[in-house]
Amino acid sequence: MEAGSSDAEESLTQALDAQFYDMIENIEPHKSSDLGQTEPEELAEAVELVSKGEHVADHVFQIKVILPHQPYEIQIMVSTQEQVQDLRQSIVEQPAAFQYSCFHLEHHGQKINDYSDLSDVKNLAAGSELRLIEDPYTEKEARMHVVRVRELIGAAGNRVDTLHGISAGVSLHENVLPWCGTEQHNSDRRKPAASKTLEGVNALADFQPQGPPFLQTLIPHAQELLPKTIKALTVSPWNPPPPYFRQRGHLIYLQVTTNEGEQYQITSHVSGFFVNKSSNNRFDPMPRPSPKNAMAHSLFALIQNLSPSFESSFNKLLEANNKRDPLGNFHLTSAIPSYPWLVPAVSSGGATHQPDMTRTQETYLLAGVENTETLRDWNEEIQTTRELPRETVQDRVFRERMTAKIMAEFNEAAARGAVLVARGEVAALNPTESKDAQIFVYNNIFYSFGADGVGTFTSEGGDEAARVAVGKDVMGVKAVNQLDIAGLATPGTIIVDYLGKRLVAQSIVPGIFKQREPDEPQVDYGGVEGRDVVAENSVFIPTFSQVSKTLKVKKHPVWDKEGNRHVLEASVETKGLLGTDGRKYMLDLYRLTPLDVSWLDAYWTDNEVHGSKPKERNYPHRMAVLRPELVEAYWRLKMGEYVKEEVEKRKTSRKHESNTGKDDPVHSTQNNGHGSGLANGVSNMDNKKPESHKEQDRIDISTFSWSLNPDVFCGQQPRTEQEKEDWTIDEQEVRTVADYLHQKVIPELLNDLEEGEVGFPMDGQSLSRLLHKRGINIRYIGKIASLAESDNRRLQALRALAVQEMIARAFKHVAHRHLKKLPMPMTGACIAHLLNCLLGTGVNKSPVADVDEDLKFLYNEGDMSFANTTPDSLRSDIEEQVQIRYRYILGSWLSDIKHIQLLREISLKIGLQMIAKDYNFSLDSVASSDQSIHLTNGNSIHSAINSHPVNGLISKKKKRNAGNSSPTSMNGCNTTDATMTFIPNDVANIVPIIKDACSKSILAEEALEAGRISMVQNQKELGQELLLESLSLHEQIYGILHPEVARVYHQLAMLYHNLDEKDTAVELAHKAVVISERTLGVDSNETILSYLNLSLFEHANGNTSVALACMRHALELWKIIFGSYHPDCITTFNNAAVMLQHLKYFHESRLWFELSIAMSEDMCGKDSVNTATLAFQLAQALALDQDHKGAVRRMRDAYSTFLNKFGAEHQNTKEAEGWLEQLTQNAVSIAKHAKDVQARRIRRVLFTPRVTLGTQPQAPVGQTSATRPSNSNTHTNSDFDSRSIDELMKYIEGGEASKKTPTKKRKNPRNRRA
């Protein structure tokens, strides 16, 4: 009986622990995405909705639309979840209905409201007929019709994007894989553009892993000019109509020049468009008489009647457009397009500027004569959208879609205004104040500088503190928006960094400028004037308390300057304002988490000695706060401790019950009758236990509470002893969290990266995102670099990346200091000179700034101090900034610079768009060495490549580069100045860096999270349905082109790949690549990962040549952003070897295997399991390449490692031993029969690996991959081929592989067109 009780206790403990960790896993992914709390009941509700069929699954059917002109009817697929506006858009996108834009729809003679849902249209069902009725035009509709027709017929020239820069939102996918449309089967997939070689030569044939980066990889190919349908369509100089003609229905006057050279003056009338009697010199807007009269309701139809060649040229235009990937050409509406840091030269074909007279008239066409249609009340629109109903799923979808739309439009408008303010093109409301204190209003948006213009942050660090505070404020607004609390409003907010200035743009809160009574505070809740005056208002407590509970903010007292006690739900810095519109606004959200006291104690002081702070305490500001992710991680830790305590209590209680049951004969009999009684019941709890018993075993966490006081260490002075004691406890709690960061979080990150258990960061952006995700502030990057100083190659790579990031950030601060007071025409000279001082000293040790003397004289008040910068002074400034901000001492860092990678990091941080050319960083254009493999820009991989000839590619490189005395540009001419690496003209543009407060869709994330949980629980059918539902929600809410949609495509592609639905996986992966390029960047780390996994999916689908092209492109990008030999390249090189082996390129495959194992030996060591696994594969590749001695040697290495690590009985060891024996016998046999070897009659071993042998998905940065090989010593034999050696020998001798029964492919459940 006692044994049974012990087993029961152990089983109960295991079950409860499993329940706890399952609960943690279910919560963690949702938290890591910065979402508010989602209770398990909400996820269960999402699952229940899908299982009942009550989710947002579309009821799709076909209807007929009757048209007034040929072809008189079309068929349209519609969904009950769509609005009539969606149906209108579907109609006008049909080729037969291009001409319509001003119309309404009727059903059974009843007009349909354009803003209603299709589900509200009575009796609308499959086969229903809707009639399209042309409406009279208004001026606005006429203008919109002209804009649409210009776009449709290709009459609009290239647009100059004044905000997002050159080639914003560009995609390189067609450079790699030319678009061929979705109708073409995978077996006939397009040939890779990256392999422009003879037939039979693979895409990796001339790739140099150790070669310099090829910058042309980032430049899209010049596209052929589209066919012209007309010569010009412009607004007529007679426009606008005089009042007496406007009274007759005239709206706009246009001028059309056809391809035949005929010019027509056209009147836009309320009834349509007609050719009038006007000429360039004579005004008569009345219709022409017969036979030259022409009139149509649509301008498209009128042009078709006037120009005989229009129809044929328009069809050619449609054909040309169909040859392009739609995703690569759609306009981004809900996301900020990425800007490339390298752009084509002005003289190149990719940067041709086309003439277009109407380009300057588009403002009129879009906004009207008075330009009033673009003026919007942004705050009212934002708040009204958030107040939309949210009761049903349909309500939530519509509400979140409208919220995403209005926030994207606000961000765009606010950023454009910020650029104008930074350039000095907007008048200040207070022009007599200092520059930093000036405020602006433009397009109903409020602007101010992120500087301490009025002395608010004097004691916190001045301008530096103000700059950080506004950045934290945007993060706070984003966090509060994500919570989506009813009744709580936040203003639309973004920050824009441009030309060294940081601007804050906010929607105007009603009443914020209201002059209040002298004794009335300016805000209604929180600190009014710093901490001196504190306001309280009970109406804010319910909403503020919800925010504080979710964000782990403790309700706490504060004291004003009079010593009065006030209990606040949030930090004293967080303010509540009752707007004149009756809404409760939450403002100044930069202090949602406490100060990082451990950092400030070590590196900050208010005391100055002789006007300056001591070097060891000179951190620039006191706004160093803990990250929300760290607070969240510590909360999970504390909750785990709480649950374990409850489990211990439960164990004690059960043990007590078991002991008391010994004396109860009835109880004892019952237990014995059940076999092992309680033990069996608990061990099978998930399958057999009644639901009531399960509920009893659940841990109630509703009583668990933990939060932090954000106002500790901020100068508050408790009065009573009890208050002081409570305050001390709050301070200790904050110190504990700070210690947790140092003692647990940072060491764990370093350990994960050292062991290779997670994806390794590729650049500064991915490193920063990884640190933030773990709750580590960027200021600790210096500590991480110090801790990474070891002999481990992965940590050495981490240190190099961290040092490069610190240098780039320090350069940014130095550059901002010079740019802040510099006239815009001088910025190119400033940037070029600073870059020469940092990166160009190998060409000119004493660069001189190229300053235009005329501009210098013109801007005599500008700060031209940048011209005095020297390489030594810049180096000192950078070292000082790194020491002050990151507490790291740079050593001999100049010799370790990777020039291209550092230039890229600087460009992305400042917003530079540089001309794409081969920049010369040294007098020797290429430096090579026979002793080691060189990384980009002169850094070499460690000699631990172990003297292996790395693929024989060094000699190829020498031959390829022989005779190259100086780099040339992509245009074939010398692009470097004789004495300077950079010239002012190399800086093509500077774009603003935008940081917004847009939240994620809670509904779409809930469906995605429920799908993930279902897949983990092996409920694949339900999980697929939920994930597809999440994709549908993402597309509906964000639109197709959005980073979140790209990530969902990527996850679904991986899911379908694992489910062996290969076609679907490839289709989704292609979309993920294009959207990632356009929204995240053509060379972002996520784009590279998307290309690598697309390569894997294409190979699995039988398109290995396409897969190699994708891999080639990813490897080229990898060299640009990191350099050669990224630590995770081992997996990629191994995948390349397997793919080449699949194509029967045995020698090339062997070379890539050798490169992979050389890197593994360097990164992981010769005796690691990972290296042994690669040696096992290399041995087989060597056998294929007729190197039997090398095959025996490598297999012996693998066998020895497996024997030492796993023992003689492990399956890996046995597998290697069998192969070693066979290979040895073959080597001996070959040595005895040399003549047979020459005649190629000897029996040899051929190993043809399956896809799972070597091709593995690339793990995202900071995350694990289920199939990713690790460097740990617990490797299984799952990567080895399951066939015996005899079976492989029969395969060789038979010449054909045994055919496998093909897996029946399920139809793509969501065959969607882009």
Side-chain angles (χ1 to χ4, degrees):
M1 183 67 186
E2 293 178 359
S5 299
S6 177
D7 291 341
E9 293 169 8
E10 183 178 356
S11 299
L12 174 62
T13 302
Q14 293 174 351
L16 292 175
D17 284 346
Q19 174 193 342
F20 163 65
Y21 286 113
D22 286 344
M23 176 180 62
I24 296 296
E25 290 175 1
N26 292 350
I27 293 176
E28 183 171 358
H30 206 60
K31 295 295 183 182
S32 65
S33 57
D34 294 332
L35 293 176
Q37 281 184 315
T38 298
E39 301 296 336
E41 290 77 6
E42 294 178 340
L43 295 178
E45 180 184 359
V47 175
E48 185 179 359
L49 286 172
V50 173
S51 62
K52 290 181 178 180
E54 297 177 0
H55 58 295
V56 199
D58 301 343
H59 180 203
V60 180
F61 54 91
Q62 190 175 63
I63 63 173
K64 182 188 296 184
V65 179
I66 307 300
L67 305 176
H69 308 290
Q70 287 187 345
Y72 299 114
E73 67 176 46
I74 56 175
Q75 302 290 333
I76 297 288
M77 296 296 296
V78 298
S79 162
T80 54
Q81 301 302 325
E82 292 179 342
Q83 290 187 310
V84 178
Q85 288 282 2
D86 299 323
L87 173 58
R88 288 175 59 96
Q89 187 64 30
S90 299
I91 291 174
V92 300
E93 287 176 354
Q94 297 293 316
F98 278 157
Q99 60 180 301
Y100 304 107
S101 69
C102 184
F103 62 88
H104 70 269
L105 299 172
E106 292 184 358
H107 181 51
H108 293 164
Q110 298 293 321
K111 182 178 179 180
I112 301 176
N113 190 325
D114 290 341
Y115 298 97
S116 62
D117 294 330
L118 286 178
S119 57
D120 297 333
V121 180
K122 293 182 180 179
N123 302 321
L124 183 66
S128 296
E129 288 188 1
L130 299 183
R131 188 170 296 276
L132 186 150
I133 306 298
E134 294 175 331
D135 286 336
Y137 287 97
T138 64
E139 185 198 337
K140 179 179 180 180
E141 288 169 336
R143 287 189 280 105
M144 294 301 104
H145 183 78
V146 173
V147 171
R148 169 175 162 73
V149 170
R150 274 173 46 82
E151 294 286 348
L152 188 62
I153 67 177
N158 65 306
R159 285 189 171 85
V160 178
D161 193 331
T162 58
L163 175 63
H164 302 301
I166 305 167
S167 302
V170 70
S171 171
L172 302 177
H173 189 253
E174 290 190 40
N175 285 21
V176 184
L177 302 173
W179 173 254
C180 67
T182 55
E183 71 281 355
Q184 194 165 348
H185 193 268
N186 280 313
S187 61
D188 300 323
R189 190 175 293 278
R190 56 269 183 198
K191 291 183 179 179
S195 182
K196 295 183 177 180
T197 52
L198 299 175
E199 289 292 333
V201 180
N202 66 82
L204 294 176
D206 60 344
F207 178 73
Q208 299 294 325
Q210 77 281 12
F214 186 47
L215 297 184
Q216 194 176 6
T217 306
L218 299 180
I219 305 303
H221 296 164
Q223 295 183 339
E224 296 181 3
L225 293 178
L226 295 173
K228 291 187 71 69
T229 56
I230 60 174
K231 289 186 176 180
L233 169 58
T234 64
V235 177
S236 171
W238 299 113
N239 196 69
Y244 44 88
F245 282 110
R246 185 175 293 275
Q247 193 71 17
R248 301 183 188 183
H250 292 203
L251 303 174
I252 311 173
Y253 298 136
L254 305 171
Q255 183 173 296
V256 174
T257 305
T258 66
N259 282 345
E260 292 80 12
E262 295 289 334
Q263 187 180 87
Y264 296 92
Q265 298 285 339
I266 295 176
T267 296
S268 171
H269 190 262
V270 292
S271 61
F273 296 81
F274 60 81
V275 179
N276 62 38
K277 301 178 184 178
S278 298
S279 66
N280 290 335
N281 302 317
R282 177 174 170 269
F283 177 62
D284 186 355
M286 301 308 292
R288 276 190 181 183
S290 182
K292 292 188 176 183
N293 64 327
M295 181 176 181
H297 186 268
S298 169
L299 178 60
F300 181 88
L302 178 62
I303 296 174
Q304 196 170 18
N305 294 336
L306 295 176
S307 174
S309 64
F310 175 80
E311 186 172 357
S312 62
S313 59
F314 181 69
N315 289 333
K316 292 179 181 177
L317 176 66
L318 292 180
E319 292 177 5
N321 284 330
N322 288 336
K323 293 179 181 178
R324 297 182 176 183
D325 188 348
L327 282 179
N329 293 278
F330 284 161
H331 179 64
L332 280 81
T333 57
S334 58
I336 299 172
S338 65
Y339 71 92
W341 66 278
L342 280 180
V343 295
V346 177
S347 58
S348 67
T352 305
H353 191 46
Q354 301 291 335
D356 181 14
M357 186 179 297
T358 316
R359 187 186 293 120
T360 56
Q361 300 172 347
E362 281 190 342
T363 302
Y364 156 71
L365 290 173
L366 295 173
V369 177
E370 305 297 334
N371 196 27
T372 57
E373 294 177 18
T374 57
L375 295 178
R376 302 164 63 176
D377 188 342
W378 292 107
N379 191 75
E380 184 62 26
E381 288 190 43
I382 291 171
Q383 309 309 333
T384 302
T385 303
R386 289 176 178 163
E387 292 166 357
L388 289 171
R390 60 176 91 181
E391 282 73 24
T392 66
V393 175
Q394 291 83 2
D395 288 341
R396 293 178 67 185
V397 171
F398 178 73
R399 176 177 175 271
E400 292 190 0
R401 179 169 62 183
M402 294 303 297
T403 300
K405 178 178 180 293
I406 186 63
M407 291 306 299
E409 292 171 350
F410 169 78
N411 293 342
E412 176 100 0
R416 292 188 183 278
V419 169
L420 295 177
V421 171
R423 291 178 177 175
E425 298 180 20
V426 179
L429 298 181
N430 53 343
T432 59
E433 301 285 343
S434 65
K435 283 283 186 181
D436 290 341
Q438 289 179 354
I439 57 177
F440 308 82
V441 172
Y442 181 80
N443 197 8
N444 282 340
I445 300 174
F446 175 75
Y447 297 93
S448 60
F449 289 105
D452 192 23
V454 294
T456 304
F457 296 95
T458 302
S459 61
E460 308 290 327
D463 288 346
E464 288 279 0
R467 184 182 182 91
V468 173
V470 296
K472 299 294 183 186
D473 183 39
V474 170
M475 290 175 54
V477 172
K478 185 173 186 176
V480 173
N481 287 345
Q482 192 65 62
L483 302 181
D484 200 18
I485 295 173
L488 183 63
T490 56
T493 308
I494 69 166
I495 58 175
V496 177
D497 291 330
Y498 185 60
L499 300 179
K501 308 174 183 70
R502 170 163 287 189
L503 289 110
V504 188
Q506 293 179 307
S507 60
I508 300 175
V509 176
I512 197 169
F513 294 127
K514 176 184 175 183
Q515 293 294 329
R516 302 199 179 194
E517 298 296 328
D519 58 341
E520 186 180 8
Q522 288 297 112
V523 296
D524 301 288
Y525 191 81
V528 180
E529 300 173 1
R531 296 180 292 271
D532 293 341
V533 179
V534 180
E536 291 185 81
N537 192 323
S538 59
V539 300
F540 287 92
I541 293 178
T543 51
F544 273 46
S545 62
Q546 292 182 61
V547 174
S548 298
K549 181 180 179 181
T550 308
L551 298 180
K552 318 299 182 294
V553 177
K554 188 174 186 178
K555 184 177 181 179
H556 62 281
V558 295
W559 296 265
D560 58 23
K561 63 180 180 181
E562 304 296 334
N564 298 321
R565 187 175 186 267
H566 307 269
V567 178
L568 299 179
E569 296 286 344
S571 168
V572 69
E573 307 290 353
T574 303
K575 300 171 177 57
L577 177 68
L578 278 174
T580 54
D581 56 358
R583 297 185 178 98
K584 297 186 285 290
Y585 290 89
M586 199 174 193
L587 308 174
D588 292 351
L589 300 173
Y590 54 83
R591 186 68 65 75
L592 294 179
T593 55
L595 294 174
D596 185 355
V597 62
S598 63
W599 181 272
L600 294 176
D601 283 349
Y603 306 121
W604 164 267
T605 182
D606 292 325
N607 302 321
E608 295 187 357
V609 179
H610 304 298
S612 62
K613 298 179 181 180
K615 187 176 182 180
E616 63 276 5
R617 303 287 295 278
N618 61 346
Y619 193 66
H621 59 82
R622 200 176 184 273
M623 297 301 296
V625 297
L626 300 174
R627 288 198 63 83
E629 297 89 345
L630 177 67
V631 175
E632 188 67 38
Y634 193 77
W635 174 84
R636 288 197 297 269
L637 176 69
K638 298 296 289 185
M639 186 178 71
E641 294 175 354
Y642 169 81
V643 171
K644 287 182 179 179
E645 289 177 4
E646 293 298 312
V647 168
E648 291 297 326
K649 292 179 183 178
R650 190 76 54 90
K651 284 174 57 179
T652 304
S653 175
R654 291 294 175 92
K655 185 176 181 180
H656 178 71
E657 291 177 4
S658 299
N659 290 334
T660 56
K662 291 180 183 180
D663 299 330
D664 188 344
V666 177
H667 188 178
S668 176
T669 302
Q670 289 176 342
N671 280 345
N672 292 335
H674 282 84
S676 58
L678 182 61
N680 284 342
V682 174
S683 63
N684 298 301
M685 182 172 60
D686 291 336
N687 298 321
K688 299 181 180 179
K689 198 168 187 180
E691 191 66 30
S692 59
H693 289 197
K694 289 184 181 180
E695 292 297 327
Q696 292 177 8
D697 287 338
R698 292 186 180 276
I699 302 297
D700 181 15
I701 63 171
S702 60
T703 58
F704 171 73
S705 176
W706 180 87
S707 53
L708 292 174
N709 183 345
D711 286 326
V712 294
F713 306 108
C714 293
Q716 294 291 333
Q717 299 293 329
R719 296 302 191 265
T720 66
E721 291 300 321
Q722 183 61 43
E723 290 172 350
K724 292 179 180 179
E725 183 178 344
D726 293 342
W727 201 260
T728 301
I729 294 174
D730 290 348
E731 290 180 338
Q732 184 56 44
E733 193 70 30
V734 172
R735 289 189 182 276
T736 303
V737 176
D739 292 340
Y740 175 72
L741 170 65
H742 290 270
Q743 298 170 8
K744 184 74 172 177
V745 177
I746 294 177
E748 278 189 354
L749 172 66
L750 288 166
N751 182 69
D752 288 345
L753 292 175
E754 179 180 6
E755 295 298 325
E757 299 295 340
V758 298
F760 199 88
M762 301 181 187
D763 60 352
Q765 189 178 48
S766 57
L767 175 61
S768 301
R769 194 158 50 240
L770 173 60
L771 296 182
H772 288 164
K773 188 175 181 180
R774 296 291 185 106
I776 305 171
N777 304 83
I778 289 295
R779 59 179 171 270
Y780 285 105
I781 195 172
K783 179 174 182 177
I784 289 173
S786 298
L787 294 175
E789 293 178 353
S790 74
D791 294 333
N792 183 275
R793 296 292 294 156
R794 293 179 67 88
L795 288 184
Q796 289 179 10
L798 175 64
R799 177 185 172 277
L801 194 58
V803 169
Q804 177 178 280
E805 179 68 3
M806 287 187 286
I807 294 172
R809 288 176 175 268
F811 182 91
K812 177 190 72 173
H813 288 290
V814 174
H816 280 174
R817 188 179 66 207
H818 291 294
L819 292 172
K820 186 175 182 180
K821 298 180 180 179
L822 195 65
M824 185 178 177
M826 306 293 292
T827 54
C830 174
I831 293 295
H833 180 62
L834 294 179
L835 290 176
N836 280 325
C837 290
L838 177 65
L839 302 175
T841 54
V843 175
N844 189 328
K845 295 185 179 297
S846 302
V848 178
D850 185 2
V851 179
D852 189 316
E853 293 299 327
D854 292 336
L855 287 177
K856 185 176 181 180
F857 176 78
L858 186 62
Y859 293 103
N860 54 7
E861 294 183 358
D863 183 5
M864 305 293 176
S865 59
F866 74 89
N868 301 324
T869 303
T870 65
D872 289 340
S873 65
L874 180 61
R875 184 182 68 249
S876 298
D877 286 344
I878 289 175
E879 291 174 352
E880 181 183 9
Q881 289 291 327
V882 170
Q883 190 277 327
I884 291 175
R885 296 178 184 276
Y886 312 113
R887 299 294 144 177
Y888 186 79
I889 305 299
L890 291 173
S892 57
W893 56 279
L894 283 175
S895 59
D896 297 330
I897 283 180
K898 294 193 282 188
H899 295 83
I900 292 295
Q901 289 72 32
L902 185 54
L903 176 61
R904 175 182 178 272
E905 295 289 352
I906 290 171
S907 298
L908 293 178
K909 286 173 173 54
I910 300 180
L912 304 180
Q913 290 191 292
M914 306 294 293
I915 294 296
K917 67 179 187 181
D918 293 328
Y919 292 100
N920 192 9
F921 298 107
S922 65
L923 296 178
D924 274 338
S925 58
V926 177
S928 59
S929 172
D930 294 331
Q931 304 300 322
S932 61
I933 302 172
H934 281 264
L935 295 179
T936 305
N937 307 321
N939 290 326
S940 61
I941 194 166
H942 192 262
S943 57
I945 291 295
N946 297 321
S947 303
H948 295 299
V950 183
N951 304 359
L953 296 179
I954 297 179
S955 59
K956 290 183 181 180
K957 179 186 175 186
K958 289 181 180 179
K959 293 178 182 178
R960 184 182 180 187
N961 293 328
N964 289 355
S965 58
S966 63
T968 58
S969 74
M970 284 174 275
N971 301 325
C973 60
N974 193 353
T975 58
T976 55
D977 185 271
T979 57
M980 299 289 182
T981 301
F982 301 94
I983 59 175
N985 289 342
D986 289 337
V987 183
N989 188 33
I990 301 179
V991 299
I993 306 298
I994 303 169
K995 299 178 182 178
D996 60 54
C998 294
S999 57
K1000 294 182 180 179
S1001 165
I1002 297 177
L1003 181 62
E1005 291 293 329
E1006 284 175 357
L1008 182 62
E1009 186 66 20
R1012 286 172 177 162
I1013 293 173
S1014 298
M1015 296 302 293
V1016 169
Q1017 295 173 348
N1018 206 29
Q1019 302 177 29
K1020 292 186 177 180
E1021 186 173 346
L1022 177 60
Q1024 272 187 270
E1025 189 64 28
L1026 281 165
L1027 290 172
L1028 288 172
E1029 188 61 43
S1030 173
L1031 175 60
S1032 176
L1033 291 170
H1034 275 86
E1035 291 177 342
Q1036 290 183 61
I1037 291 168
Y1038 296 118
I1040 298 291
L1041 298 174
H1042 194 278
E1044 294 303 320
V1045 178
R1047 293 178 181 120
V1048 175
Y1049 275 140
H1050 182 79
Q1051 294 180 39
L1052 279 179
M1054 187 66 68
L1055 167 68
Y1056 281 112
H1057 172 70
N1058 294 333
L1059 294 176
D1060 206 31
E1061 295 192 19
K1062 299 173 182 177
D1063 287 345
T1064 308
V1066 167
E1067 177 190 348
L1068 293 172
H1070 276 283
K1071 292 182 178 181
V1073 163
V1074 177
I1075 300 172
S1076 294
E1077 285 183 322
R1078 301 197 63 196
T1079 59
L1080 299 171
V1082 292
D1083 59 349
S1084 73
N1085 71 294
E1086 291 187 56
T1087 299
I1088 294 176
L1089 289 173
S1090 295
Y1091 266 112
L1092 290 172
N1093 285 330
L1094 172 60
S1095 172
L1096 173 70
F1097 304 155
E1098 288 280 16
H1099 172 62
N1101 205 22
N1103 303 312
T1104 304
S1105 61
V1106 175
L1108 289 174
C1110 296
M1111 182 173 289
R1112 167 69 178 266
H1113 185 70
L1115 289 171
E1116 294 284 6
L1117 295 178
W1118 222 335
K1119 286 201 295 185
I1120 291 173
I1121 77 168
F1122 179 84
S1124 299
Y1125 304 113
H1126 184 274
D1128 286 348
C1129 276
I1130 299 173
T1131 301
T1132 305
F1133 291 167
N1134 189 79
N1135 290 349
V1138 173
M1139 293 177 189
L1140 289 168
Q1141 197 174 77
H1142 177 81
L1143 293 178
K1144 311 296 184 185
Y1145 291 108
F1146 298 130
H1147 181 67
E1148 291 82 355
S1149 172
R1150 165 208 178 150
L1151 298 179
W1152 283 91
F1153 272 128
E1154 287 179 343
L1155 182 60
S1156 178
I1157 197 173
M1159 280 200 65
S1160 181
E1161 291 177 352
D1162 185 52
M1163 294 287 175
C1164 315
K1166 284 186 176 182
D1167 299 330
S1168 69
V1169 174
N1170 198 40
T1171 302
T1173 305
L1174 293 172
F1176 187 94
Q1177 298 180 45
L1178 176 58
Q1180 297 154 356
L1182 291 170
L1184 288 172
D1185 199 32
Q1186 303 296 311
D1187 186 354
H1188 298 281
K1189 290 184 179 180
V1192 171
R1193 179 171 59 85
R1194 283 299 183 180
M1195 190 59 71
R1196 186 180 295 113
D1197 292 342
Y1199 170 72
S1200 299
T1201 302
F1202 289 146
L1203 182 64
N1204 293 332
K1205 298 290 185 182
F1206 300 138
E1209 298 303 317
H1210 195 274
Q1211 190 170 352
N1212 282 16
T1213 309
K1214 292 181 177 180
E1215 192 88 25
E1217 185 179 16
W1219 276 96
L1220 178 60
E1221 181 180 350
Q1222 183 67 53
L1223 291 173
T1224 303
Q1225 290 176 3
N1226 283 346
V1228 172
S1229 177
I1230 290 169
K1232 292 180 179 179
H1233 303 87
K1235 293 181 180 180
D1236 289 338
V1237 172
Q1238 287 183 348
R1240 291 186 179 275
R1241 290 194 300 269
I1242 192 67
R1243 189 176 69 171
R1244 67 192 193 286
V1245 174
L1246 176 64
F1247 183 80
T1248 304
R1250 299 167 297 163
V1251 172
T1252 53
L1253 171 66
T1255 54
Q1256 300 168 10
Q1258 201 78 34
V1261 174
Q1263 301 178 28
T1264 59
S1265 176
T1267 57
R1268 173 185 172 83
S1270 69
N1271 297 338
S1272 64
N1273 294 331
T1274 58
H1275 202 80
T1276 67
N1277 69 331
S1278 60
D1279 287 341
F1280 293 160
D1281 197 294
S1282 60
R1283 292 171 291 181
S1284 67
I1285 298 176
D1286 291 337
E1287 289 174 330
L1288 292 172
M1289 297 301 298
K1290 291 178 182 178
Y1291 163 72
I1292 304 294
E1293 294 171 345
E1296 292 291 338
S1298 58
K1299 296 182 179 179
K1300 296 182 180 179
T1301 303
T1303 304
K1304 184 178 180 181
K1305 296 181 181 178
R1306 286 185 284 172
K1307 186 178 179 181
N1308 184 353
R1310 186 169 293 272
N1311 188 11
R1312 55 182 69 245
R1313 292 190 307 167

